[in-house]
Amino acid sequence: MKALRKALRFLLEWSFLLLVPAGALWALSPLGVYLSDYAFQTPNVFWRLFPTAPLLMALGLAGVFFFAMGEKGIAAKVGFWTVVAGAVVTIAGAFGRYYFGLDDEYIMTAPAWSAMRTGLFVLAAGAVVFGAASAREGSLPLWGALPFAIAAVAGLVSVVRDFGGAGAVMWISFGVGWAWLGLSLFIAKAAGYLKERRAAKAGDSTSSKTPATYI
Amino acid sequence: MGRSLTRRQFLKVAGAGVGGAAMLGMGSACGGMSYLPSGGSRMNVVVVLLDSLRKDHVGVYGNDWIQTPNLDALANESLRFTQAYPESIPTIPARRAIFTGTRTWPFRDWVPQKGETFFPAGWQRIPEEQASLTEILSDQEFQTVLITDTQHMFKASMNFQRGFDVFDYIRGQERDRWRAINSANADLVERMTVAGNDQNMMDKVRQYVANTWYREGEEDYFAPQVFRRSMDYLEMAEDGQPFFLVVDSFDPHEPWDPPKKYVDLYDDPDYDGPDPTAPNYDTSDYLEEREIERMRALYAGEVTMTDKWFGDFMNKMDELGFMENTLVMVMSDHGVSLAEHGFTGKVARAMWPELTDIPFFIRHPEGIGAGETSDFYASIHDIAPTILSQVDVERPAQMTGQDLTPLLEGDDPEEARPHFTLGYDDHSWTRDDDFILVCRSDGEEARLYDAENDPNMDDDIAGDNPDVVRRMYDEYILADAGGEPPSMY
């Protein structure tokens, strides 16, 4: 039982790594749309897979929020919960549109598409707030949180409307930003771990005071 | 002062450069497609085209004896244009304008098509370099469907099926070379023609009779077939939304041979003379007075039959709930002369209101513009830009028609249109609020009418107003045509 709890704890602590595949999937989605259309004459085959990205983002960010961050301010909390809400709405919209065909029935109100687009906007807005707040508060490494916040701004712009090639680049940047956040936390955690090992070897008693978080 | 780049710095810069280039590459490689999920508020679009339906033969336009209750009912739920015109006449140039949103007049690009029997200027396929509304909507995931008996559209020399996912061509109308002409019953041909019919019209009726000998009941007539097949499509349309359905009925085009019950609404049921079902495209002096009356009754009967089946189609739309999410446009491509000004059929120099004026309604599913009228000079080449605007799709630069949405919403038009110009073969027609001018496209044989006091164009005042004729020719026809239209005389 103790081993199971330990394993679970380990998984939760490292769940921020989900941000890497989440960001990669997001960043690759313009290519996925193109390939889907090329192979199946419709982009919707890709869009059926797309909900995985916001789902992994929400789970990965939960890992960050609950297990990896230092002292969290109100803005970071608001940002986190906004991202979660945006991801849930995006996933619901995507399922409504691509699995349940809601918009085929209600073509003028298009509830599923509207939900999906709203969810994307909320998710990106939440990411801006979360990234900026984390960078400002110092609850995440600056070199991880700041690029994430900047990429989130690009993502927010890209989901407002279709900006063509420039929009696609901004959309991809947003995905890269998420992956970068996950990688930066991994690097920070690995660096902390190595530092702790070195300190332990050197018999440095201060190493035991290394905080559980990265900062 | 020189400064060396460390290996780490180089890798950082190179990595960032490669990453940036990769993103740009991916962004631009997929540039043709949206990176966002497509969709949003959509609506179906239904365009009903009734060939040769005269504006003055639709009740809502002021005719108190014609029976068109279904068109009238739709008009009352629609924005109704009171001064709508085809930018070009006849069938094929008009349809090119509808599908491309582009003017076909003054027919500079006309290439006579091999295998044709009719050669008015502009009578040709949609030019390859022009995009069609259908292709654009198909790209936007609309299911595109054409149901028609307008035989000219599916001749081998034409390409009006471009972009349609479904095209249902109903064979046998008019001169469609569907069945061997020698199988035509001679007695029937004689009953459906008059002594003065020229050989051209005799041949038209012979082919028509050869094509239609199998008829058993009203449902076998052409307008019923077109609308019934359209209703069949509606039954299966729910899973194909949004859809773009074009119902193109050649009726009430001649030959006019509706079931007797419709003709009896407008003429003596005991009439036993010959039926002038196909008018000569010429002066009307070949017809006796009684034959003219009969011809008008036949046409009116054909209009009412078409209206009846159009009504059934609209009822099916309502029954299936499509009136709530479908933009409906109904219009004609031109009228037809029934000896009002000494001509029958469609003669280029006979551009009086019976030939040029068309009904045009737009019914928005949310009731926008319902019951309103507009005296804007709306044209059939405005249809494509309006549809694209309504479904929120950008229109290509080639589309020179106007988006009529502002008028639907009760606003000023996109661009003022103080005059309008149209063309039919070697003749041009133009009007403003004061005058209407008809002339050969080189300006010869001009006739001028007072638009306000003589809307029926009965009194030619060109002789007394040479300056007005000159001004309208120079400022309207030549200006709109970009110089003198090509010579075809």
Side-chain angles (χ1 to χ4, degrees):
Chain A
M1 194 65 184
K2 195 177 173 187
L4 187 66
R5 206 177 301 151
K6 199 174 172 186
L8 187 64
R9 174 81 192 177
F10 176 82
L11 286 175
L12 290 172
E13 279 186 4
W14 287 88
S15 61
F16 65 81
L17 280 175
L18 293 173
L19 295 181
V20 178
L25 180 58
W26 185 290
L28 288 170
S29 63
L31 187 62
V33 167
Y34 175 78
L35 292 176
S36 169
D37 190 67
Y38 181 77
F40 304 104
Q41 286 73 54
T42 171
N44 293 351
V45 174
F46 172 80
W47 287 115
R48 289 168 77 93
L49 304 174
F50 178 75
T52 314
L55 177 66
L56 293 175
M57 283 174 172
L59 292 176
L61 200 66
V64 174
F65 187 76
F66 291 113
F67 301 101
M69 286 180 78
E71 193 67 29
K72 297 176 277 274
I74 184 78
K77 288 177 183 169
V78 168
F80 168 72
W81 288 110
T82 305
V83 168
V84 171
V88 168
V89 175
T90 302
I91 293 165
F95 269 80
R97 174 149 169 68
Y98 300 109
Y99 288 92
F100 304 131
L102 280 183
D103 292 1
D104 298 335
E105 191 149 347
Y106 304 102
I107 63 167
M108 285 195 64
T109 49
W113 181 87
S114 304
M116 194 174 171
R117 288 294 296 269
T118 305
L120 289 172
F121 182 82
V122 172
L123 187 153
V128 172
V129 174
F130 179 82
S134 304
R136 187 167 174 275
E137 292 164 0
S139 51
L140 287 176
L142 184 65
W143 53 279
L146 193 58
F148 172 74
I150 293 168
V153 172
L156 184 65
V157 174
S158 74
V159 300
V160 171
R161 72 173 182 85
D162 187 345
F163 288 100
V169 170
M170 288 190 280
W171 173 280
I172 293 166
S173 306
F174 187 48
V176 171
W178 281 88
W180 174 251
L181 181 63
L183 279 174
S184 68
L185 293 176
F186 173 77
I187 293 166
K189 191 172 173 82
Y193 175 73
L194 290 174
K195 192 174 169 188
E196 197 175 332
R197 291 261 321 244
R198 274 201 298 269
K201 272 186 183 172
D204 184 351
S205 60
T206 57
S207 64
S208 61
K209 291 175 185 168
T210 304
T213 57
Y214 300 108
I215 309 300
Chain B
M1 203 167 81
R3 192 178 162 208
S4 64
L5 193 66
T6 66
R7 190 160 164 259
R8 174 173 286 199
Q9 283 171 329
F10 171 78
L11 287 173
K12 273 184 185 173
V13 172
V18 168
M23 282 202 289
L24 280 171
M26 255 167 58
S28 58
C30 310
M33 299 201 57
S34 176
Y35 59 91
L36 291 170
S38 62
S41 179
R42 316 293 285 272
M43 59 174 123
N44 303 311
V45 179
V46 170
V47 172
V48 178
L49 186 52
L50 305 172
D51 199 295
S52 304
L53 177 61
R54 290 170 51 149
K55 187 176 92 172
D56 64 359
H57 276 57
V58 180
V60 75
Y61 281 105
N63 184 325
D64 58 8
W65 56 264
I66 193 83
Q67 295 190 26
T68 53
N70 296 298
L71 285 166
D72 298 345
L74 181 78
N76 289 329
E77 296 177 358
S78 306
L79 172 65
R80 177 167 60 90
F81 290 95
T82 58
Q83 299 189 111
Y85 298 101
E87 70 85 36
S88 58
I89 300 174
T91 304
I92 287 297
R95 278 161 182 75
R96 279 175 52 199
I98 289 170
F99 284 114
T100 63
T102 306
R103 293 214 66 156
T104 61
W105 179 82
F107 316 122
R108 291 190 194 285
D109 57 356
W110 177 42
V111 180
Q113 306 289 286
K114 286 182 179 175
E116 269 298 341
T117 54
F118 192 35
F119 293 95
W123 188 274
Q124 67 182 70
R125 68 208 329 252
I126 298 172
E128 293 295 318
E129 69 275 13
Q130 289 182 4
S132 85
L133 168 68
T134 319
E135 291 164 331
I136 296 168
L137 292 178
S138 183
D139 287 345
Q140 296 293 322
E141 299 176 22
F142 277 71
Q143 182 165 69
T144 52
V145 181
L146 170 64
I147 298 172
T148 184
D149 62 335
T150 301
Q151 47 114 3
H152 303 297
M153 298 175 78
F154 47 87
K155 286 174 176 169
S157 55
M158 299 297 175
N159 59 0
F160 282 85
Q161 69 271 28
R162 269 177 58 177
F164 280 105
D165 299 320
V166 178
F167 43 95
D168 184 358
Y169 288 154
I170 295 160
R171 298 294 307 268
Q173 185 59 279
E174 203 205 24
R175 287 181 196 271
D176 187 6
R177 296 171 188 179
W178 189 40
R179 292 191 163 142
I181 196 168
N182 54 308
S183 67
N185 180 308
D187 290 342
L188 194 50
V189 172
E190 192 177 337
R191 281 211 303 277
M192 291 175 64
T193 52
V194 293
N197 268 135
D198 57 30
Q199 190 58 47
N200 193 8
M201 287 303 126
M202 294 293 288
D203 290 345
K204 178 184 284 192
V205 173
R206 282 187 72 208
Q207 182 67 63
Y208 185 78
V209 168
N211 290 344
T212 56
W213 61 265
Y214 65 89
R215 282 175 177 166
E216 290 178 353
E218 184 175 336
E219 292 192 350
D220 296 325
Y221 282 68
F222 286 106
Q225 284 193 66
V226 169
F227 285 109
R228 283 182 62 217
R229 300 260 271 262
S230 302
M231 287 186 267
D232 289 346
Y233 170 72
L234 290 180
E235 292 278 5
M236 63 183 91
E238 188 171 359
D239 294 335
Q241 297 184 87
F243 59 79
F244 171 55
L245 170 63
V246 178
V247 183
D248 186 339
S249 169
F250 202 54
D251 282 336
H253 192 288
E254 81 269 4
W256 301 307
D257 67 333
K260 186 173 184 302
K261 68 177 183 182
Y262 292 109
V263 188
D264 288 350
L265 294 170
Y266 304 105
D267 201 359
D268 180 358
D270 297 326
Y271 174 86
D272 61 357
D275 279 340
T277 61
N280 291 352
Y281 283 27
D282 206 338
T283 54
S284 59
D285 48 11
Y286 69 98
L287 289 169
E288 304 291 334
E289 198 56 42
R290 184 66 183 93
E291 290 173 337
I292 292 174
E293 283 177 23
R294 184 66 181 174
M295 181 178 64
R296 291 173 179 171
L298 290 169
Y299 174 75
E302 193 97 2
V303 168
T304 297
M305 176 184 71
T306 305
D307 177 83
K308 187 266 178 202
W309 288 93
F310 166 74
D312 286 358
F313 171 77
M314 294 308 295
N315 288 340
K316 179 62 78 175
M317 289 273 295
D318 192 31
E319 179 193 320
L320 295 172
F322 290 133
M323 297 301 277
E324 310 300 321
N325 62 10
T326 304
L327 182 76
V328 180
M329 288 184 167
V330 177
M331 79 290 301
S332 175
D333 56 349
H334 51 70
V336 63
S337 302
L338 299 172
E340 289 83 1
H341 289 93
F343 289 86
T344 55
K346 297 189 292 287
V347 177
R349 66 182 184 279
M351 285 197 279
W352 275 279
E354 54 268 26
L355 184 57
T356 58
D357 294 13
I358 58 170
F360 185 10
F361 317 132
I362 302 177
R363 182 191 183 278
H364 192 281
E366 292 172 331
I368 299 170
E372 302 295 324
T373 59
S374 169
D375 60 2
F376 182 73
Y377 298 137
S379 165
I380 53 177
H381 75 302
D382 299 330
I383 291 168
T386 304
I387 289 174
L388 290 179
S389 168
Q390 285 293 314
V391 300
D392 202 20
V393 174
E394 197 175 338
R395 68 183 181 208
Q398 94 185 15
M399 290 193 177
T400 50
Q402 280 202 40
D403 169 14
L404 301 175
T405 300
L407 296 165
L408 199 60
E409 293 171 346
D411 296 328
D412 290 334
E414 201 176 42
E415 190 182 329
R417 196 176 265 171
H419 73 273
F420 189 70
T421 310
L422 65 87
Y424 177 12
D425 197 29
D426 58 357
H427 275 67
S428 297
W429 172 108
T430 189
R431 74 160 296 167
D432 58 19
D433 290 345
D434 300 319
F435 298 101
I436 304 170
L437 173 71
V438 185
C439 62
R440 247 173 44 172
S441 292
D442 61 359
E444 296 298 310
E445 301 172 12
R447 305 193 312 267
L448 184 72
Y449 303 93
D450 184 328
E452 192 176 352
N453 299 313
D454 182 23
N456 200 38
M457 299 168 62
D458 293 322
D459 298 319
D460 179 7
I461 54 172
D464 298 333
N465 298 277
D467 51 331
V468 175
V469 171
R470 189 76 243 168
R471 177 180 60 79
M472 291 181 77
Y473 182 73
D474 289 345
E475 295 180 12
Y476 298 168
I477 292 176
L478 290 188
D480 290 353
E484 187 174 317
S487 174
M488 304 169 196
Y489 318 103

